[in-house]
Amino acid sequence: MKNYEKQIQALLSKMTPEEKIGQLQQCGPSLVGAFDVSFDELLNMMFDGRITKEEFDRLMGTAEQDFHEDDLRAGKIGSYNGIGDSATANRLQKIAVEETRLGIPLLFGYDVIHGFRTVTPIPLAESCAWEPALWEKTGRVAAKEATAAGVHLTFAPMVDVAKDARWGRVSEGAGEDVLLNGDYGAAKVKGFQGDDLAKEDAMAACLKHFAAYGAGEAGRDYNRVDLSMQRLWEEYMPSYKACIDAGARAIMPAFNDINGVPCTVNSWLLRDILREKWGFNGLVISDSNAIAECVSHGIAKDKRDAAKQALLAGMDMDMSSNSYVECLKELVESGEVPEHVLDGAAADVLRVKFELGLFDNPYQTNEERESLCLLTEEARSIAREAAVKSMVLLKNENQILPLKSDARIGIFGSLAADKGQMTGAWAIGARPEDCVSIVEACEARGVSYQYSEDGKDMLKIAASSDVLVAAVGEMKEESGEAASRADITLSREHLALVRDLLATGKPVVVVLFNGRPLAIPELAKHAPAILEAWHLGVEAGPAILEVLFGDVNPSGKLTTTFPAATGQCPMYYAHINTGRPGGKSKFTSKYLDAPVEPVYPFGYGLSYTTFAYGDLKAEKKEDAVRVSVSVSNTGERDGEEIVQCYVQDVAAKRVRPVRQLKGYEKVFLKAGETKEAVFTIPLEELSYYDWDMNKVDCEGILRIYVGGDSRAELMEEITL
Ligand code: BGC
């Protein structure tokens, strides 16, 4: 990366403290209209029933956006969040470049989480493809579209390891495993940033939420995090580090505290680790309003105190809380915050603006480019590919699937036709009309189908159908931010619909739409076929039909465990054994009213063919363990298998997980074909932290398991 330090210092020397503080300010447009409360309060009023949805919509109809242009002209704004159209972005950029004293360009940030206009599967779904090349490709699509709409920086990837299915934001990351989250995040960073950040179609990645946001107590959003240092470093930190190593230029500290200190004001995290140990010199942006919220945390006595602590801790940019613009000037003047600390923060903002090429070319797009780049055929076909690869076939009794091309289908459930629901959480650039539902896809494909949203005419439809499809699961509002659930079972209505369909005696295929693992023991027992479709984005309908009709052979594998009951959460494969591993006898670690095993384990997923494993070999070679295994397609159809390699350190200085994923590879096998899969695991990746936080080598017996899911039985032992 080109070095801009001279230009940065030259610019800083011309800037007043107010102008430097201005660079640290990120705000969004405010909504103003025929209401005299803030937009947030208006939303609350609708949610708690003080106004009806209709009244809310009527008031919103009167709303206009206030972009705070006067503040912008005065050099008090360095960045905007949430502006996703090139005309507005360029209009504001012109003010920054032509009407402010120093003409410093603006930085536009946006939550491009899984596609901008061409919405691709939610990250949790896409992670089930176990395919870094795909993750990078969809990241590239997102960057091309978002930059065409004026975006310079995305608040993604989220690489928070998420072991608790109650947490709504499991939908935004790559599931419960730290290796997968790191690989997923690194691939996204490459996709978003491309090979040169200064190119017009490259956007900076802001990885988040640093650190351990996914470890919130009881899966409740924004909740406290209390972790041993060993756990933090082994199970959470590596995925953030992988993104930094991949070159991410921005990072967002998490809302939560870690062991009592909120990440927003945690100088150990933001200075000692991030900058000193990891060498990061990019931009640190607070989460929304997080600086001011340090008062509620009980770590700052007021906003001024919070601003002081955050800046000193290494927080460069204030998203939405106005703490810096309101308080920093006085804090610098009084000497409570040294000016060189302010300079350091402003330098981090300017560095990323230089790297993005904004000083040379502040207008990186225009309306023409925008109109050409959004929702192209190429983008749609990549979204379709991602959707197909994200689905996980959970059950397929008596080979109900794939369906015959002339099968007559009865389709039930609102999710089969509700286009707006296909996007899932966090898709703010999405338009419902861009999405294709199952019902529309049936129409386009000429499938013989009948559809009933609410189960009306069920018996009549069933009588004239060969197979019934139930589209059930979660609405998109039921996962994502601020969407934790205390009960992760299927809703009563959806369960009743499936029961009624099963009672007709016709074969039933359940298609699940959801943003988190669901506890579905009853479905797993009684429904003959279950396809996990998650929230797949604009191409949901056609992609689902491709799998149901067998145009493609499903290959996705779960990146998150499906518990049998909510009370088992957090439930994850890489747990430790305890002295009394759960088993048949009473005095073992388990619940009286739930099974020991999950309904579907991590790594699990079926295919329309079958695979067999054999000839597992493992040996130590210099500084790595080399593992090889043969994988055969023993069925009648070509297919892809995601081969997984797990290890267990049998006796160590600290208790170690029963299994840890150390390698995976997607292998294509023609029917009857056999191939060898090879994994090289550096010894460094087997090391761990002892009681005193020293990194120690894995010694003694290492068990290596290879297979098609985390319960793989094929095992080889070696001694290190
Ligand atoms: C979320 C972030 C997001 C930010 C900006 C916050 O509430 O926690 O993940 O990037 O809003 O929209």
Side-chain angles (χ1 to χ4, degrees), residues 26 81-82 110-111 113 154-156 158 169 172 206 208-209 213 221-222 252 255 286-289 319-320 426 428 481:
Q26 182 179 76
N81 175 12
Y110 201 88
D111 285 277
I113 308 300
T154 173
F155 303 114
M158 182 187 106
R169 302 194 83 167
E172 292 177 56
C206 176
K208 64 190 189 186
H209 304 84
Y213 182 33
D221 210 359
Y222 317 123
M252 182 185 289
F255 280 127
S286 82
D287 205 336
S288 188
N289 201 41
M319 182 194 284
S320 305
W426 270 123
I428 39 183
E481 188 175 351

mmCIF file of all heavy atoms in Angstrom, residues 26 81-82 110-111 113 154-156 158 169 172 206 208-209 213 221-222 252 255 286-289 319-320 426 428 481, ligand 1:
data_model
loop_
_atom_site.group_PDB
_atom_site.id
_atom_site.type_symbol
_atom_site.label_atom_id
_atom_site.label_comp_id
_atom_site.label_asym_id
_atom_site.label_seq_id
_atom_site.Cartn_x
_atom_site.Cartn_y
_atom_site.Cartn_z
ATOM 1 N N GLN A 26 -18.914 11.181 12.238
ATOM 2 C CA GLN A 26 -19.744 10.532 11.222
ATOM 3 C C GLN A 26 -21.194 10.662 11.643
ATOM 4 O O GLN A 26 -21.545 10.350 12.781
ATOM 5 C CB GLN A 26 -19.417 9.047 11.103
ATOM 6 C CG GLN A 26 -20.256 8.387 10.018
ATOM 7 C CD GLN A 26 -19.939 6.912 9.862
ATOM 8 O OE1 GLN A 26 -20.351 6.096 10.674
ATOM 9 N NE2 GLN A 26 -19.221 6.570 8.808
ATOM 10 N N ASN A 81 -23.046 8.227 7.159
ATOM 11 C CA ASN A 81 -23.465 6.827 7.171
ATOM 12 C C ASN A 81 -24.848 6.735 6.537
ATOM 13 O O ASN A 81 -25.709 7.577 6.793
ATOM 14 C CB ASN A 81 -23.532 6.332 8.630
ATOM 15 C CG ASN A 81 -24.073 4.906 8.750
ATOM 16 O OD1 ASN A 81 -24.189 4.190 7.753
ATOM 17 N ND2 ASN A 81 -24.394 4.506 9.966
ATOM 18 N N GLY A 82 -25.041 5.738 5.693
ATOM 19 C CA GLY A 82 -26.390 5.429 5.242
ATOM 20 C C GLY A 82 -26.855 6.157 3.995
ATOM 21 O O GLY A 82 -28.052 6.142 3.701
ATOM 22 N N TYR A 110 -21.664 2.611 4.731
ATOM 23 C CA TYR A 110 -22.993 2.008 4.528
ATOM 24 C C TYR A 110 -22.924 0.553 4.977
ATOM 25 O O TYR A 110 -21.883 -0.081 4.870
ATOM 26 C CB TYR A 110 -23.318 2.054 3.028
ATOM 27 C CG TYR A 110 -24.775 1.942 2.654
ATOM 28 C CD1 TYR A 110 -25.576 3.081 2.571
ATOM 29 C CD2 TYR A 110 -25.339 0.713 2.334
ATOM 30 C CE1 TYR A 110 -26.907 2.987 2.190
ATOM 31 C CE2 TYR A 110 -26.663 0.614 1.949
ATOM 32 C CZ TYR A 110 -27.447 1.758 1.877
ATOM 33 O OH TYR A 110 -28.769 1.665 1.487
ATOM 34 N N ASP A 111 -24.023 0.043 5.485
ATOM 35 C CA ASP A 111 -24.046 -1.370 5.873
ATOM 36 C C ASP A 111 -24.343 -2.251 4.660
ATOM 37 O O ASP A 111 -25.494 -2.550 4.367
ATOM 38 C CB ASP A 111 -25.117 -1.605 6.948
ATOM 39 C CG ASP A 111 -24.691 -1.090 8.298
ATOM 40 O OD1 ASP A 111 -23.964 -1.805 8.996
ATOM 41 O OD2 ASP A 111 -25.073 0.051 8.650
ATOM 42 N N ILE A 113 -24.113 -5.607 3.891
ATOM 43 C CA ILE A 113 -23.833 -6.818 4.676
ATOM 44 C C ILE A 113 -23.856 -8.073 3.797
ATOM 45 O O ILE A 113 -22.989 -8.923 3.896
ATOM 46 C CB ILE A 113 -24.842 -6.971 5.833
ATOM 47 C CG1 ILE A 113 -24.901 -5.675 6.661
ATOM 48 C CG2 ILE A 113 -24.513 -8.168 6.720
ATOM 49 C CD1 ILE A 113 -23.608 -5.250 7.298
ATOM 50 N N THR A 154 -17.778 -0.244 3.737
ATOM 51 C CA THR A 154 -18.901 -1.018 4.262
ATOM 52 C C THR A 154 -18.629 -1.492 5.678
ATOM 53 O O THR A 154 -17.497 -1.846 6.007
ATOM 54 C CB THR A 154 -19.227 -2.251 3.385
ATOM 55 O OG1 THR A 154 -20.235 -3.023 4.064
ATOM 56 C CG2 THR A 154 -18.022 -3.149 3.148
ATOM 57 N N PHE A 155 -19.680 -1.491 6.486
ATOM 58 C CA PHE A 155 -19.542 -1.997 7.857
ATOM 59 C C PHE A 155 -19.685 -3.517 7.836
ATOM 60 O O PHE A 155 -20.668 -4.086 8.309
ATOM 61 C CB PHE A 155 -20.579 -1.341 8.762
ATOM 62 C CG PHE A 155 -20.483 0.155 8.749
ATOM 63 C CD1 PHE A 155 -21.507 0.932 8.233
ATOM 64 C CD2 PHE A 155 -19.340 0.782 9.221
ATOM 65 C CE1 PHE A 155 -21.403 2.315 8.195
ATOM 66 C CE2 PHE A 155 -19.222 2.166 9.183
ATOM 67 C CZ PHE A 155 -20.257 2.935 8.666
ATOM 68 N N ALA A 156 -18.725 -4.159 7.241
ATOM 69 C CA ALA A 156 -18.710 -5.611 7.098
ATOM 70 C C ALA A 156 -17.268 -6.003 6.767
ATOM 71 O O ALA A 156 -16.515 -5.147 6.298
ATOM 72 C CB ALA A 156 -19.666 -6.052 5.973
ATOM 73 N N MET A 158 -18.865 -9.048 9.356
ATOM 74 C CA MET A 158 -19.006 -9.356 10.772
ATOM 75 C C MET A 158 -18.419 -10.750 10.984
ATOM 76 O O MET A 158 -18.850 -11.707 10.353
ATOM 77 C CB MET A 158 -20.478 -9.358 11.193
ATOM 78 C CG MET A 158 -20.613 -9.644 12.700
ATOM 79 S SD MET A 158 -22.288 -9.879 13.295
ATOM 80 C CE MET A 158 -22.282 -11.659 13.559
ATOM 81 N N ARG A 169 -28.079 -11.930 15.841
ATOM 82 C CA ARG A 169 -27.056 -11.574 14.858
ATOM 83 C C ARG A 169 -26.228 -12.774 14.394
ATOM 84 O O ARG A 169 -25.278 -12.592 13.642
ATOM 85 C CB ARG A 169 -26.187 -10.448 15.411
ATOM 86 C CG ARG A 169 -27.016 -9.220 15.751
ATOM 87 C CD ARG A 169 -26.190 -7.981 15.970
ATOM 88 N NE ARG A 169 -25.873 -7.336 14.702
ATOM 89 C CZ ARG A 169 -25.372 -6.096 14.604
ATOM 90 N NH1 ARG A 169 -25.111 -5.391 15.681
ATOM 91 N NH2 ARG A 169 -25.122 -5.574 13.425
ATOM 92 N N GLU A 172 -25.645 -12.742 10.734
ATOM 93 C CA GLU A 172 -24.717 -11.839 10.035
ATOM 94 C C GLU A 172 -23.293 -12.357 9.916
ATOM 95 O O GLU A 172 -22.433 -11.698 9.346
ATOM 96 C CB GLU A 172 -24.671 -10.490 10.762
ATOM 97 C CG GLU A 172 -25.942 -9.699 10.669
ATOM 98 C CD GLU A 172 -25.840 -8.417 11.476
ATOM 99 O OE1 GLU A 172 -24.910 -7.632 11.239
ATOM 100 O OE2 GLU A 172 -26.680 -8.216 12.371
ATOM 101 N N CYS A 206 -14.853 -2.596 6.866
ATOM 102 C CA CYS A 206 -14.783 -2.297 8.293
ATOM 103 C C CYS A 206 -15.223 -3.563 9.023
ATOM 104 O O CYS A 206 -16.414 -3.852 9.135
ATOM 105 C CB CYS A 206 -15.714 -1.136 8.647
ATOM 106 S SG CYS A 206 -15.766 -0.794 10.415
ATOM 107 N N LYS A 208 -16.073 -6.183 11.975
ATOM 108 C CA LYS A 208 -16.736 -5.899 13.240
ATOM 109 C C LYS A 208 -17.152 -7.200 13.898
ATOM 110 O O LYS A 208 -17.094 -8.250 13.246
ATOM 111 C CB LYS A 208 -17.946 -5.002 12.995
ATOM 112 C CG LYS A 208 -19.066 -5.635 12.150
ATOM 113 C CD LYS A 208 -20.095 -4.587 11.755
ATOM 114 C CE LYS A 208 -21.302 -5.245 11.116
ATOM 115 N NZ LYS A 208 -22.277 -4.296 10.594
ATOM 116 N N HIS A 209 -17.544 -7.208 15.133
ATOM 117 C CA HIS A 209 -17.536 -6.118 16.113
ATOM 118 C C HIS A 209 -16.476 -6.537 17.113
ATOM 119 O O HIS A 209 -16.640 -7.585 17.762
ATOM 120 C CB HIS A 209 -18.879 -5.960 16.810
ATOM 121 C CG HIS A 209 -20.041 -5.757 15.870
ATOM 122 N ND1 HIS A 209 -20.714 -6.775 15.261
ATOM 123 C CD2 HIS A 209 -20.653 -4.621 15.416
ATOM 124 C CE1 HIS A 209 -21.689 -6.294 14.498
ATOM 125 N NE2 HIS A 209 -21.672 -4.991 14.558
ATOM 126 N N TYR A 213 -18.354 -9.906 20.395
ATOM 127 C CA TYR A 213 -19.758 -9.472 20.502
ATOM 128 C C TYR A 213 -20.698 -10.686 20.515
ATOM 129 O O TYR A 213 -21.767 -10.654 21.115
ATOM 130 C CB TYR A 213 -20.045 -8.551 19.321
ATOM 131 C CG TYR A 213 -21.410 -7.912 19.214
ATOM 132 C CD1 TYR A 213 -22.156 -7.547 20.331
ATOM 133 C CD2 TYR A 213 -21.927 -7.622 17.948
ATOM 134 C CE1 TYR A 213 -23.388 -6.929 20.186
ATOM 135 C CE2 TYR A 213 -23.149 -6.995 17.795
ATOM 136 C CZ TYR A 213 -23.888 -6.657 18.914
ATOM 137 O OH TYR A 213 -25.103 -6.045 18.757
ATOM 138 N N ASP A 221 -28.916 -9.604 22.844
ATOM 139 C CA ASP A 221 -28.122 -8.610 22.121
ATOM 140 C C ASP A 221 -27.642 -7.509 23.065
ATOM 141 O O ASP A 221 -28.334 -7.150 24.023
ATOM 142 C CB ASP A 221 -28.927 -8.000 20.963
ATOM 143 C CG ASP A 221 -27.999 -7.583 19.818
ATOM 144 O OD1 ASP A 221 -26.768 -7.760 19.950
ATOM 145 O OD2 ASP A 221 -28.510 -7.108 18.790
ATOM 146 N N TYR A 222 -26.479 -6.997 22.790
ATOM 147 C CA TYR A 222 -25.827 -5.897 23.522
ATOM 148 C C TYR A 222 -25.430 -6.291 24.941
ATOM 149 O O TYR A 222 -25.039 -5.439 25.731
ATOM 150 C CB TYR A 222 -26.714 -4.636 23.595
ATOM 151 C CG TYR A 222 -27.427 -4.265 22.317
ATOM 152 C CD1 TYR A 222 -28.821 -4.129 22.272
ATOM 153 C CD2 TYR A 222 -26.711 -4.024 21.152
ATOM 154 C CE1 TYR A 222 -29.478 -3.775 21.107
ATOM 155 C CE2 TYR A 222 -27.373 -3.672 19.969
ATOM 156 C CZ TYR A 222 -28.749 -3.548 19.954
ATOM 157 O OH TYR A 222 -29.400 -3.192 18.802
ATOM 158 N N MET A 252 -14.618 -1.917 13.623
ATOM 159 C CA MET A 252 -15.620 -1.352 14.519
ATOM 160 C C MET A 252 -15.574 -2.079 15.861
ATOM 161 O O MET A 252 -15.843 -3.279 15.925
ATOM 162 C CB MET A 252 -17.014 -1.518 13.905
ATOM 163 C CG MET A 252 -18.134 -0.916 14.743
ATOM 164 S SD MET A 252 -19.769 -1.281 14.029
ATOM 165 C CE MET A 252 -19.749 -0.256 12.573
ATOM 166 N N PHE A 255 -20.230 -3.193 20.864
ATOM 167 C CA PHE A 255 -21.028 -2.523 21.906
ATOM 168 C C PHE A 255 -20.698 -3.050 23.309
ATOM 169 O O PHE A 255 -20.783 -2.326 24.290
ATOM 170 C CB PHE A 255 -22.516 -2.818 21.681
ATOM 171 C CG PHE A 255 -23.197 -1.988 20.628
ATOM 172 C CD1 PHE A 255 -23.902 -2.587 19.591
ATOM 173 C CD2 PHE A 255 -23.179 -0.599 20.688
ATOM 174 C CE1 PHE A 255 -24.567 -1.834 18.636
ATOM 175 C CE2 PHE A 255 -23.843 0.164 19.741
ATOM 176 C CZ PHE A 255 -24.533 -0.453 18.711
ATOM 177 N N SER A 286 -16.533 3.873 15.844
ATOM 178 C CA SER A 286 -17.390 3.360 16.920
ATOM 179 C C SER A 286 -18.642 2.720 16.342
ATOM 180 O O SER A 286 -19.032 3.015 15.208
ATOM 181 C CB SER A 286 -17.819 4.493 17.857
ATOM 182 O OG SER A 286 -18.919 5.188 17.314
ATOM 183 N N ASP A 287 -19.283 1.860 17.094
ATOM 184 C CA ASP A 287 -20.599 1.408 16.691
ATOM 185 C C ASP A 287 -21.575 2.560 16.959
ATOM 186 O O ASP A 287 -21.248 3.549 17.631
ATOM 187 C CB ASP A 287 -21.009 0.119 17.396
ATOM 188 C CG ASP A 287 -22.046 -0.645 16.568
ATOM 189 O OD1 ASP A 287 -22.746 -0.011 15.756
ATOM 190 O OD2 ASP A 287 -22.173 -1.868 16.727
ATOM 191 N N SER A 288 -22.776 2.422 16.426
ATOM 192 C CA SER A 288 -23.708 3.536 16.420
ATOM 193 C C SER A 288 -24.034 4.029 17.839
ATOM 194 O O SER A 288 -24.544 3.261 18.664
ATOM 195 C CB SER A 288 -24.988 3.081 15.723
ATOM 196 O OG SER A 288 -25.829 4.171 15.547
ATOM 197 N N ASN A 289 -23.709 5.271 18.095
ATOM 198 C CA ASN A 289 -24.002 5.908 19.382
ATOM 199 C C ASN A 289 -23.247 5.291 20.560
ATOM 200 O O ASN A 289 -23.522 5.603 21.724
ATOM 201 C CB ASN A 289 -25.523 5.851 19.655
ATOM 202 C CG ASN A 289 -25.975 6.874 20.655
ATOM 203 O OD1 ASN A 289 -25.509 8.017 20.623
ATOM 204 N ND2 ASN A 289 -26.830 6.494 21.582
ATOM 205 N N MET A 319 -19.454 7.406 15.524
ATOM 206 C CA MET A 319 -20.647 7.204 14.711
ATOM 207 C C MET A 319 -21.875 7.621 15.511
ATOM 208 O O MET A 319 -22.198 7.006 16.537
ATOM 209 C CB MET A 319 -20.790 5.735 14.285
ATOM 210 C CG MET A 319 -22.000 5.477 13.398
ATOM 211 S SD MET A 319 -22.425 3.728 13.221
ATOM 212 C CE MET A 319 -21.201 3.145 12.089
ATOM 213 N N SER A 320 -22.493 8.678 15.045
ATOM 214 C CA SER A 320 -23.844 9.068 15.477
ATOM 215 C C SER A 320 -24.041 9.612 16.881
ATOM 216 O O SER A 320 -25.153 9.975 17.218
ATOM 217 C CB SER A 320 -24.826 7.889 15.354
ATOM 218 O OG SER A 320 -24.819 7.394 14.076
ATOM 219 N N TRP A 426 -30.813 -7.049 7.569
ATOM 220 C CA TRP A 426 -29.739 -6.167 7.092
ATOM 221 C C TRP A 426 -29.597 -6.169 5.581
ATOM 222 O O TRP A 426 -28.555 -6.574 5.039
ATOM 223 C CB TRP A 426 -28.395 -6.562 7.700
ATOM 224 C CG TRP A 426 -28.069 -5.881 8.982
ATOM 225 C CD1 TRP A 426 -27.782 -6.507 10.160
ATOM 226 C CD2 TRP A 426 -27.965 -4.465 9.255
ATOM 227 N NE1 TRP A 426 -27.522 -5.562 11.145
ATOM 228 C CE2 TRP A 426 -27.624 -4.319 10.608
ATOM 229 C CE3 TRP A 426 -28.138 -3.313 8.464
ATOM 230 C CZ2 TRP A 426 -27.448 -3.065 11.210
ATOM 231 C CZ3 TRP A 426 -27.972 -2.077 9.050
ATOM 232 C CH2 TRP A 426 -27.628 -1.968 10.415
ATOM 233 N N ILE A 428 -30.471 -3.138 3.521
ATOM 234 C CA ILE A 428 -31.141 -1.844 3.418
ATOM 235 C C ILE A 428 -31.205 -1.312 1.994
ATOM 236 O O ILE A 428 -32.021 -0.476 1.685
ATOM 237 C CB ILE A 428 -30.540 -0.781 4.363
ATOM 238 C CG1 ILE A 428 -29.022 -0.905 4.426
ATOM 239 C CG2 ILE A 428 -31.147 -0.827 5.743
ATOM 240 C CD1 ILE A 428 -28.366 0.066 5.394
ATOM 241 N N GLU A 481 -30.014 -7.615 14.020
ATOM 242 C CA GLU A 481 -29.754 -6.832 15.226
ATOM 243 C C GLU A 481 -31.020 -6.671 16.064
ATOM 244 O O GLU A 481 -32.120 -6.536 15.532
ATOM 245 C CB GLU A 481 -29.196 -5.455 14.848
ATOM 246 C CG GLU A 481 -28.740 -4.697 16.079
ATOM 247 C CD GLU A 481 -28.072 -3.368 15.774
ATOM 248 O OE1 GLU A 481 -27.803 -3.078 14.602
ATOM 249 O OE2 GLU A 481 -27.839 -2.619 16.739
HETATM 250 C C1 BGC B 1 -24.769 -2.088 14.343
HETATM 251 C C2 BGC B 1 -23.588 -2.140 13.395
HETATM 252 C C3 BGC B 1 -23.870 -1.296 12.184
HETATM 253 C C4 BGC B 1 -24.182 0.106 12.647
HETATM 254 C C5 BGC B 1 -24.336 1.113 11.536
HETATM 255 C C6 BGC B 1 -25.242 -0.678 14.611
HETATM 256 O O1 BGC B 1 -26.413 -0.634 15.325
HETATM 257 O O2 BGC B 1 -24.421 -2.739 15.538
HETATM 258 O O3 BGC B 1 -23.303 -3.458 13.045
HETATM 259 O O4 BGC B 1 -22.795 -1.337 11.296
HETATM 260 O O5 BGC B 1 -25.352 0.069 13.430
HETATM 261 O O6 BGC B 1 -25.511 1.059 10.877
#
